[in-house]
Amino acid sequence: MSIFSEEDQIRLSEKGIDPRKAMRQIETFKEGIPFIHLSRAAVTGDGIVRLTIEEQEGFRSHYNQNKGKIRTLKFTPASGAASRMFKALFTFINEFNPDQTSFEGYINRPDQKDVKVFYEGLERFPFYEEISSRISGDGMTEGQKFMAFVSEMLTEKGMNYGFYPKGLLPFHRYANSTATPFAEHLKEGAAYAQSGNLSYLHFTISPQHRELFRETERQVADPIRRETGCDFDITYSYQKEATDTLAVTPDNEPFRNDEGQLLFRPGGHGALLENLNEQDADLLFIKNIDNVVTENALHEIAAWKEILAGYLLKIQAQAFSFSRMLVDGTVDHDLLKRVESFLQAELNVCFPTAFPGYSLEEQIAVLQDKLDRPIRVCGMVRNAGDPGGGPFWITDAMGNESLQIVESAQVNLADEDQQQIFEKATHFNPVVLVCGVRDAFGQKFDLMNFVNSKQGFITAKTYEGRELKALELPGLWNGGMAYWNTVFIEVPAETFNPVKTVNDLLKPAHQP
């Protein structure tokens, strides 16, 4: 007997969710999601490649020589709201009363250091002049002027930055203009992701922001087109409602709101795998919307994207060659050993210990399976204390070892051995990926076939004061790509310049 009422099933149907899928989600809550077992941290020489200057130049040249023969696309998750950027300033608005509290005393409190940094750097922010022009400081105390500035910036009656998507906020100030991350990504597309003077870009956005993105595109695309000589093909998509997940009570029963309706929650960035899967390209660049730099620093960013892309094209060509040989049937022992060696040395593939004892047919089948997968080449930055996932060798329940990007939430840090391995990570994931998504015969992979569904996340949340449990899908570059062939390459810290809080805009990469 189904636990879903007729009304529930109508609601599931409206969202495009199969009731059986919803039931499997409830079972996942009941069973729990096992922690990932870390074998060891991936380090330079053991999972992470460090390229020489000569190698960098060679791979970059290889990409630039071949990019005219392939279709590249720049894929940018851009649906994130900017509200978290301004968390400290929202608290300031709600707490501070300029008529009752000393402003100097308030911002010098230890728990208000972020507000103090913002205040002291105020004139260096790209939006300073526009917001200042909208408020009058006449007769105001310093605290009143600052409150007026922050309120004008964040609230609905003013600029409403708290509502805006992060990608459409002014990040950089130039001599005669400001630039949003959206505009900076167009410049990046022109710099490294164009072929025949055309750059394809795709942004995943929230439906309520569609017109804002379209309007920004109308304003900035033509000037950047004239400046760079590059035309743009820009498309958008939304996170699909069918990727929302069912919320449950602490007792793993479907959570219902006050009207008795099922509650659904967004499935996290892993839901964007379906959007990625719909893109028609040979090579995909993936980078988050807030990881941009000013024009004067763009050269190095573009160079490293070209290096990673050249590396992918080189190893992909060899993988394609071997795959076609195995399909053609011209197989001997020497070829099998060369394929096995290539997979181990270049694509970090691990084979079961029993593999040498397999029959010829079994070995060919295993090698074909390992070759016939999408490839991702991921930049990895030396760890300097930044939060985020990192590169590790992991072992699954069957004893198979693989190279993965792992988040702290996926690891049992209460286990001393696992914690020690986690802390030995020398690098972290800046979300700089180049992906090859076609097979040796030009057919596009169905990326949904390479997901480890057991690598999602269960988190504790609240809804209108009531506790619930939420399920996030396997992360886009975590479990969502668990069965891809994976290469990690060390890239310089200068390629990682995210804006997680508004004060990050004061860092050199965002100050022309």
Side-chain angles (χ1 to χ4, degrees), residues 145-432:
K145 284 194 292 185
F146 186 65
M147 172 63 84
F149 184 97
V150 176
S151 297
E152 179 65 28
M153 178 175 69
L154 295 182
T155 63
E156 192 173 350
K157 293 179 180 179
M159 302 291 288
N160 204 17
Y161 283 179
F163 162 78
Y164 264 63
K166 190 185 288 188
L168 299 184
L169 293 177
F171 266 29
H172 302 146
R173 180 168 59 192
Y174 297 111
N176 300 309
S177 65
T178 60
T180 63
F182 177 85
E184 302 294 22
H185 275 281
L186 265 59
K187 296 173 191 175
E188 283 198 23
Y192 61 78
Q194 66 162 297
S195 177
N197 295 324
L198 179 62
S199 179
Y200 293 90
L201 301 99
H202 184 85
F203 296 86
T204 62
I205 62 176
S206 298
Q208 66 267 32
H209 295 146
R210 181 176 180 85
E211 279 311 307
L212 288 173
F213 273 93
R214 286 292 192 191
E215 178 59 29
T216 301
E217 178 186 338
R218 286 190 286 269
Q219 292 173 1
V220 306
D222 279 341
I224 297 174
R225 186 180 292 116
R226 289 192 296 269
E227 178 186 339
T228 62
C230 177
D231 204 355
F232 300 103
D233 185 310
I234 303 169
T235 53
Y236 305 91
S237 65
Y238 315 128
Q239 188 166 309
K240 303 180 188 307
E241 276 199 79
T243 64
D244 288 353
T245 57
L246 199 63
V248 299
T249 68
D251 295 324
N252 300 316
E253 297 294 329
F255 188 100
R256 298 180 183 277
N257 62 21
D258 292 341
E259 287 75 45
Q261 296 176 326
L262 296 172
L263 181 70
F264 297 88
R265 295 181 58 86
H269 64 70
L272 298 181
L273 186 66
E274 295 206 14
N275 304 65
L276 187 72
N277 199 32
E278 292 176 345
Q279 306 311 310
D280 182 21
D282 304 306
L283 186 149
L284 294 158
F285 294 96
I286 302 177
K287 191 169 79 160
N288 283 334
I289 188 70
D290 64 344
N291 184 11
V292 289
V293 295
T294 56
E295 293 171 356
N296 57 304
L298 180 56
H299 176 76
E300 183 167 21
I301 302 300
W304 275 99
K305 284 295 198 307
E306 292 169 346
I307 291 165
L308 298 181
Y311 194 102
L312 185 143
L313 290 178
K314 280 269 191 180
I315 59 173
Q316 183 177 253
Q318 183 61 75
F320 285 176
S321 176
F322 281 139
S323 185
R324 287 190 288 264
M325 288 181 191
L326 294 180
V327 170
D328 289 344
T330 54
V331 177
D332 57 28
H333 179 73
D334 178 65
L335 174 61
L336 296 187
K337 293 304 294 182
R338 285 193 291 131
V339 175
E340 180 185 357
S341 177
F342 165 76
L343 285 165
Q344 288 175 321
E346 301 297 337
L347 292 175
N348 299 295
V349 173
C350 298
F351 291 88
T353 54
F355 180 74
Y358 288 2
S359 68
L360 180 66
E361 291 75 15
E362 290 171 332
Q363 288 193 1
I364 292 172
V366 169
L367 293 174
Q368 283 180 322
D369 174 66
K370 299 294 187 184
L371 286 169
D372 197 28
R373 299 181 183 213
I375 301 174
R376 57 174 176 165
V377 175
C378 314
M380 288 292 157
V381 172
R382 296 287 300 184
N383 200 333
D386 295 277
F392 292 90
W393 292 96
I394 73 165
T395 305
D396 67 16
M398 303 296 292
N400 301 310
E401 195 170 71
S402 63
L403 196 58
Q404 303 288 342
I405 296 170
V406 180
E407 307 286 339
S408 60
Q410 297 177 278
V411 182
N412 182 10
L413 297 178
D415 182 311
E416 187 175 342
D417 290 340
Q418 290 292 285
Q419 183 182 24
Q420 287 181 359
I421 294 173
F422 191 80
E423 291 176 349
K424 287 180 180 177
T426 56
H427 294 68
F428 74 94
N429 168 40
V431 191
V432 175

Side-chain angles (χ1 to χ4, degrees), residues 87-89 91-92 95 103-122 125 146 501-504 506:
K87 181 180 178 181
L89 295 174
T91 300
F92 170 78
E95 288 186 354
F103 177 62
E104 185 176 352
Y106 183 89
I107 65 171
N108 281 297
R109 283 168 32 185
D111 63 335
Q112 296 302 317
K113 62 178 184 289
D114 290 337
V115 175
K116 184 177 182 179
V117 169
F118 181 82
Y119 169 71
E120 291 178 343
L122 203 57
F125 285 101
F146 186 65
T501 75
V502 65
N503 289 340
D504 287 333
L506 298 174

